[in-house]
Amino acid sequence: MLIIKRPRGTNDLFYESAKKMSFVQNEINKIATIHGFSEIRTPIFESTELFTRGIGEETDIVSKEMFTFLDRGGRSLTLRPENTAAVVRAYLENSLQKEYAMNKLFYIGSMYRGERPQKGRYREFHQFGIECIGSSSYLADVETILLNVAILDSFNITETELVINTVGCPNCKPKYNQALRESLSSEKDNLCETCQVRYDKNILRMLDCKNPTCQEIIKKIPTFYDFVCDECREHFDGLCEELTRLGQAFTINPMLVRGLDYYTKTAFEIQSSNLGAQSAILGGGRYDKLAGMFNNGVDVPAVGSAMGIERLIFMIENEKFIEDRLDVFIIAFKETINHVMPILKRLRANNIKSDFDFDLKSIKSQFKLANKKNAKYTLIIGTDEISKNVCKIRDMDSGDEKEVSLDNIEKELKNK
Ligand SMILES: [Zn+2]
Ligand SMILES: [Zn+2]
């Protein structure tokens, strides 16, 4: 019995699963680059304070789910549970505003949350995220949305719906909060316990309460759009108009909000009905007030999004993953083994994917392995063949065989 096993909620990726993961990551990388985005890599762990400030002390992530530990010097560190705060920290620390007025960044990497593991949720998981930092233009919001859409399109994930909303800014949020409080005051006693606390402390967070009674009550509230200031309205109208011009379908959902103060203006989700119940594949929005939390109140306008890669892989049709075949498998005998490695070296130098069984079991088992590795061709090197300076090339799909001079193997295979 195995004495040490992998920690709960983690995965080992190998063969198929590892190939899928790198296929998806390469594809995302390619499409993000086409859209003019550059990759950013930040540490797996950061000072705990980065997340308590940057995600919010009262969120489930910070209050219940972080992997936090003390290093040998007694400093509190945390494995990143998400990456926006870290990217903003890196932007500020490396003065990226000196590189470009607008930094279009993306990341792909593992994140860590001590959730109760359940199907499709892991303690170590991967996220793809976009962070456009430095511009307050609604076109940055459009860019962020379009890149996400392009990525989903490239994986043929089309049964999706873009849902957007505006959540205002520090000028207009208080007015909306006040209106919410007034419209809910008569119902306060009917709200769930959590929402009764939220009613006083952070009423916006009520809007995504899952409690059925709360949801019924929330249906009757006034919408944010009726309370936003001119600047927020212009931003939202600009976004909607541009999406319409581009033929990008969307719906406005006034319930789509984000509770923390540093979220501003745009909030969006891309939802899919393919995940069972309608649920979000990715979410994002503006966070113009986040940088200020690390930077003595000096704000930097920014917009971003994040999507879970495990869920994405789950949604991609298997056919979409490139069929990855071995070009050549070499079959040899004890007497001819010395010829194998020099031939392999030549094939590989010509970018021909090739392999062999170095334990040289029976011919039958070598063919079996060639099949398992899905080889297109086998190269059979027997003593007869060697004496004539040839080898046999067998097409594994048709079964056709052909003798080829040992000097011409690469040429022959490249022609196929
Ligand atoms: Zn506003
Ligand atoms: Zn509630």
Side-chain angles (χ1 to χ4, degrees), residues 104-117:
K104 292 168 61 176
L105 304 168
F106 75 94
Y107 61 83
I108 304 175
S110 47
M111 308 292 150
Y112 301 85
R113 288 187 202 172
E115 295 182 274
R116 255 205 29 239

Side-chain angles (χ1 to χ4, degrees), residues 5 47 112 121 137 149 152 154 168 173 209 239 268 275 308 310 327 330 337:
K5 295 187 174 179
S47 293
Y112 301 85
R121 281 186 185 265
S137 167
V149 170
L152 296 177
S154 84
K173 257 187 203 187
C209 181
L239 169 66
F268 70 90
L275 289 165
E310 278 78 3
D327 293 317
I330 299 183
I337 182 84

Side-chain angles (χ1 to χ4, degrees), residues 168-173 228-233 265:
C169 70
N171 295 327
C172 48
K173 257 187 203 187
V228 291
C229 63
D230 289 346
E231 189 192 319
C232 289
R233 176 171 290 120
K265 297 177 178 162

Side-chain angles (χ1 to χ4, degrees), residues 192 195 198 209 211 214:
C192 76
C195 283
R198 287 169 175 164
C209 181
N211 182 300
C214 293

Side-chain angles (χ1 to χ4, degrees), residues 20 147 394 412:
K20 284 181 178 178
L147 173 52
R394 178 188 288 187
E412 181 69 27

Side-chain angles (χ1 to χ4, degrees), residues 15-33:
Y15 298 128
E16 275 313 301
S17 54
K19 266 187 209 164
K20 284 181 178 178
M21 180 60 80
S22 47
F23 171 72
V24 167
Q25 294 191 350
N26 291 339
E27 196 69 10
I28 288 175
N29 205 311
K30 195 178 81 191
I31 298 167
T33 309

Side-chain angles (χ1 to χ4, degrees), residues 77-345:
L77 300 173
T78 294
L79 298 181
R80 59 184 186 191
E82 56 111 79
N83 215 25
T84 300
V87 171
V88 171
R89 194 248 337 117
Y91 169 93
L92 296 169
E93 193 165 344
N94 299 289
S95 303
L96 294 188
Q97 78 280 2
K98 288 183 188 155
E99 300 282 332
Y100 298 102
M102 159 86 155
N103 285 264
K104 292 168 61 176
L105 304 168
F106 75 94
Y107 61 83
I108 304 175
S110 47
M111 308 292 150
Y112 301 85
R113 288 187 202 172
E115 295 182 274
R116 255 205 29 239
Q118 45 175 299
K119 200 169 185 294
R121 281 186 185 265
Y122 306 104
R123 288 182 165 182
E124 183 186 60
F125 59 99
H126 297 78
Q127 270 188 348
F128 158 66
I130 302 169
E131 314 293 354
C132 285
I133 309 179
S135 171
S136 54
S137 167
Y138 62 83
L139 292 176
D141 310 24
V142 175
E143 279 268 72
T144 306
I145 291 171
L146 286 189
L147 173 52
N148 281 307
V149 170
I151 287 169
L152 296 177
D153 279 351
S154 84
F155 292 121
N156 293 337
I157 298 174
T158 48
E159 307 269 298
T160 56
E161 189 181 11
L162 171 64
V163 181
I164 61 175
N165 192 26
T166 180
V167 299
C169 70
N171 295 327
C172 48
K173 257 187 203 187
K175 268 183 253 162
Y176 182 61
N177 286 350
Q178 190 49 39
L180 268 187
R181 244 176 235 117
E182 280 164 18
S183 88
L184 292 170
S185 61
S186 59
E187 305 261 29
K188 192 185 171 191
D189 295 340
N190 302 326
L191 296 168
C192 76
E193 258 175 58
T194 323
C195 283
Q196 296 202 11
V197 179
R198 287 169 175 164
Y199 182 93
D200 296 315
K201 279 177 77 181
N202 191 345
I203 194 158
L204 261 191
R205 290 203 65 212
M206 275 184 50
L207 300 199
D208 46 32
C209 181
K210 300 282 175 280
N211 182 300
T213 319
C214 293
Q215 282 186 345
E216 271 310 304
I217 296 171
I218 289 163
K219 275 185 189 159
K220 292 168 264 174
I221 59 165
T223 67
F224 215 136
Y225 189 78
D226 298 326
F227 292 84
V228 291
C229 63
D230 289 346
E231 189 192 319
C232 289
R233 176 171 290 120
E234 274 165 32
H235 188 93
F236 191 63
D237 290 348
L239 169 66
C240 294
E241 280 161 23
E242 189 64 33
L243 291 173
T244 307
R245 233 191 316 277
L246 288 160
Q248 172 61 52
F250 62 92
T251 50
I252 297 171
N253 180 353
M255 297 300 155
L256 185 68
V257 292
R258 317 186 85 186
L260 298 171
D261 284 343
Y262 56 75
Y263 289 120
T264 50
K265 297 177 178 162
T266 312
F268 70 90
E269 275 185 0
I270 295 182
Q271 302 177 345
S272 165
S273 45
N274 285 356
L275 289 165
Q278 188 82 10
S279 63
I281 311 171
L282 63 95
R286 259 197 182 270
Y287 50 92
D288 292 347
K289 296 279 158 191
L290 178 58
M293 306 192 69
F294 308 135
N295 200 19
N296 296 321
V298 182
D299 292 330
V300 181
V303 55
S305 67
M307 94 165 87
I309 294 183
E310 278 78 3
R311 293 187 93 191
L312 181 65
I313 289 176
F314 178 74
M315 294 181 68
I316 300 172
E317 301 283 337
N318 265 323
E319 302 88 74
K320 187 65 196 164
F321 295 109
I322 293 166
E323 198 186 359
D324 193 17
R325 296 188 72 173
L326 190 66
D327 293 317
V328 175
F329 190 89
I330 299 183
I331 299 208
F333 301 82
K334 269 197 204 74
E335 298 78 7
T336 59
I337 182 84
N338 290 343
H339 294 271
V340 173
M341 291 307 293
I343 292 174
L344 274 177
K345 199 175 159 195

